[in-house]
Amino acid sequence: MKNKTTAILLAIFLGYLGVDRFYLGYTGLGIVKILTLGGVGIWWLVDIIRLATGSYKPADGSDWAA
């Protein structure tokens, strides 16, 4: 189980490098995010919003840790 606060902080500070995607288990997408520098900032912002609203979950389908 992954911590939602950790995922949001990783997305904010290191999201343009795909660290949030690696943390959540999306390795392939993390690599793509590194290569595009967070989709030139757009993908980075969308991931932060999706994490904050809860529409983005860990790759293994588990729920967030308390």
Side-chain angles (χ1 to χ4, degrees), residues 5-44:
T5 304
T6 301
I8 291 172
L9 290 173
L10 287 173
I12 291 169
F13 295 111
L14 297 171
Y16 64 95
L17 295 174
V19 175
D20 56 326
R21 292 283 181 155
F22 288 112
Y23 176 72
L24 293 173
Y26 297 98
T27 306
L29 292 174
I31 292 169
V32 173
K33 201 169 172 184
I34 287 174
L35 296 175
T36 63
L37 292 176
V40 192
I42 296 169
W43 195 357
W44 170 76

